[in-house]
Amino acid sequence: MLRDLGSRDEEFVALVADIRARLLQLTGADPAHYTAILMQGSGTFGVESVLGSTLAAEGKLLVAVNGAYGRRMVQMADVLQIPVVTVESGEEQPIEPAAIAHALQSDPAITHVAIVHCETTTGIFNPIEAVGQVVAESGKMGNLGQGDEVNRDGVNRVYIVDAMSSFGAVPIDLAASHIDYLLTSSNKCIEGVPGFAIVLARCAHLLTTSGYARSVSLDLLAQYQGLETTGQFRFTPPTHALLAFHQALLELEAEGGIEGRARRYQQNYALLCAGMDALGFRRYLAPQHQGYIITAFYYPKHPHFNFASFYAALSARGHLIYPGKLSQVDCFRVGHIGRIFTADVEALLAAIRATLAEMQVELPEARGG
């Protein structure tokens, strides 16, 4: 990031092209059928770009909701005046594919289905492969081209996956999961810095969306066309964030790709959970629903525990955790992703242990352990 390249510079244009190619290579997606589009702004900008650019005026969106980020997509649809319905489950339960199937069967007007892969409200993993199969089987019609599966009989249903916090650390097969649009951002599991969102799009559907966009700056098709024709962003790109991201991709490949990074994050997760269990903390999710991206823990039931004091004491020791986003219960969250290793997790556990002692909080489950 200490280098400075102009946004129209030939070297920078080549770097952007290389980023786009490497993103597809990460997933094994066929570049004849998928493309990578970079969009300035946070990951949320990318989500809004897809929702606002890929639904026709007569489109209708179904959103699977079991956390804050599913609810955010519903909010976007409302503001964009897109008709929207939801399939909801409790924040502690994954989305049921059968519930999606029932909703699609009951409402033939639904054209798009959106789901969050790792709902970081809790850390739960939703079954995107099974839901994708349901969407694909909800209707079929003739091909646009060999290998394309976006056209379906009677209803053109499109599958959108928010993989903001999982892409780069969880293997995802776009074609096998029937994903038409996958969204992520530069600053999560690929370990870049904030600055832009990433959309992996199935070309066959994207090219049918001319005139759909409800925004100039977030027009996904126009962004794609600009990158394809000139290699440049339509508007000023986050040049330094892109330079950092290219380096992050090289480091991801050196670590063994998605599988290698997944192993490190899984080690962080296993060590953190074992240590927190030993200290007497209770996890919010059942183990079978928990992903290895972020974990939610209940507040301890102790009269001396105060989350603001707990957070401040850990921060003073050099460790930042996440407040909770759950709507019904008091929890905090600890992430396992980013440039952290087991030594960092051990240091966090030591800081938590010292902070609890300082607060005079002894958890019953930890006594005698």
Side-chain angles (χ1 to χ4, degrees):
M1 291 180 73
L2 295 177
R3 296 188 63 207
D4 193 17
L5 284 179
S7 60
R8 312 301 181 193
D9 183 84
E10 288 184 6
E11 184 182 350
F12 182 76
V13 170
L15 179 134
V16 169
D18 193 51
I19 287 173
R20 296 177 67 208
R22 288 177 186 274
L23 284 166
L24 290 181
Q25 290 167 8
L26 269 180
T27 67
D30 186 346
H33 300 300
Y34 284 93
T35 188
I37 307 165
L38 312 179
M39 181 68 69
Q40 300 96 316
S42 69
T44 299
F45 283 45
V47 177
E48 190 156 353
S49 173
V50 170
L51 296 186
S53 299
T54 69
L55 280 93
E58 64 275 14
K60 185 173 185 178
L61 176 67
L62 183 152
V63 180
V65 177
N66 61 342
Y69 297 95
R71 290 193 292 271
R72 184 177 294 178
M73 286 197 278
V74 175
Q75 180 186 9
M76 289 177 189
D78 287 338
V79 170
L80 293 168
Q81 299 184 348
I82 295 169
V84 59
V85 294
T86 62
V87 167
E88 302 191 28
S89 70
E91 291 174 322
E92 78 288 354
Q93 294 292 328
I95 296 297
E96 288 287 346
I100 301 291
H102 176 74
L104 294 178
Q105 185 178 23
S106 302
D107 190 348
I110 294 169
T111 59
H112 290 58
V113 176
I115 190 170
V116 178
H117 184 202
C118 175
E119 178 54 83
T120 52
T121 302
T122 60
I124 201 166
F125 275 12
N126 283 315
I128 58 171
E129 296 86 358
V131 171
Q133 189 65 35
V134 164
V135 174
E137 291 175 353
S138 66
K140 302 182 185 300
M141 76 183 195
N143 273 338
L144 279 180
Q146 187 176 3
D148 296 321
E149 299 174 359
V150 299
N151 301 304
R152 299 167 183 106
D153 218 9
V155 180
N156 183 23
R157 282 177 168 145
V158 175
Y159 187 36
I160 300 166
V161 174
D162 174 342
M164 207 64 61
S165 297
S166 58
F167 182 79
V170 182
I172 300 172
D173 187 322
L174 298 180
S177 299
H178 307 280
I179 296 171
D180 298 307
Y181 296 93
L182 180 141
L183 300 120
T184 188
S185 68
S186 57
N187 56 301
K188 299 292 186 179
C189 296
I190 298 178
E191 299 183 0
V193 299
F196 61 96
I198 299 156
V199 181
L200 302 183
R202 194 191 295 266
C203 299
H205 184 266
L206 177 66
L207 294 173
T208 69
T209 62
S210 179
Y212 290 3
R214 294 159 174 83
S215 166
V216 173
S217 59
L218 297 181
D219 185 335
L220 189 67
L221 179 60
Q223 188 84 338
Y224 164 75
Q225 290 170 333
L227 290 169
E228 287 292 297
T229 55
T230 68
Q232 300 175 7
F233 283 66
R234 294 176 300 143
F235 310 114
T236 305
T239 53
H240 294 79
L242 285 154
L243 287 165
F245 188 74
H246 188 263
Q247 175 63 26
L249 284 172
L250 298 180
E251 293 180 12
L252 173 62
E253 291 168 12
E255 192 172 1
I258 291 174
E259 291 77 11
R261 186 142 298 172
R263 283 193 294 273
R264 174 159 61 88
Y265 290 172
Q266 287 166 343
Q267 290 169 355
N268 292 342
Y269 161 70
L271 180 60
L272 187 280
C273 288
M276 294 294 276
D277 289 349
L279 287 170
F281 285 92
R282 292 173 53 231
R283 286 177 256 172
Y284 177 72
L285 290 177
Q288 66 268 28
H289 301 322
Q290 177 69 59
Y292 50 85
I293 302 300
I294 192 169
T295 301
F297 297 91
Y298 286 104
Y299 284 7
K301 292 183 179 179
H302 192 285
H304 294 163
F305 183 83
N306 174 274
F307 178 74
S309 300
F310 182 67
Y311 180 93
L314 290 178
S315 179
R317 289 178 164 90
H319 300 276
L320 295 179
I321 61 174
Y322 287 84
K325 290 182 75 74
L326 288 159
S327 58
Q328 302 297 324
V329 297
D330 289 329
C331 284
F332 65 89
R333 297 170 297 157
V334 179
H336 317 300
I337 68 173
R339 199 69 182 159
I340 60 173
F341 299 83
T342 52
D344 300 297
V345 178
E346 289 169 349
L348 170 63
L349 289 168
I352 291 174
R353 196 175 299 113
T355 298
L356 292 177
E358 187 178 88
M359 297 175 71
Q360 296 184 320
V361 173
E362 183 180 2
L363 303 182
E365 296 89 340
R367 288 178 186 157

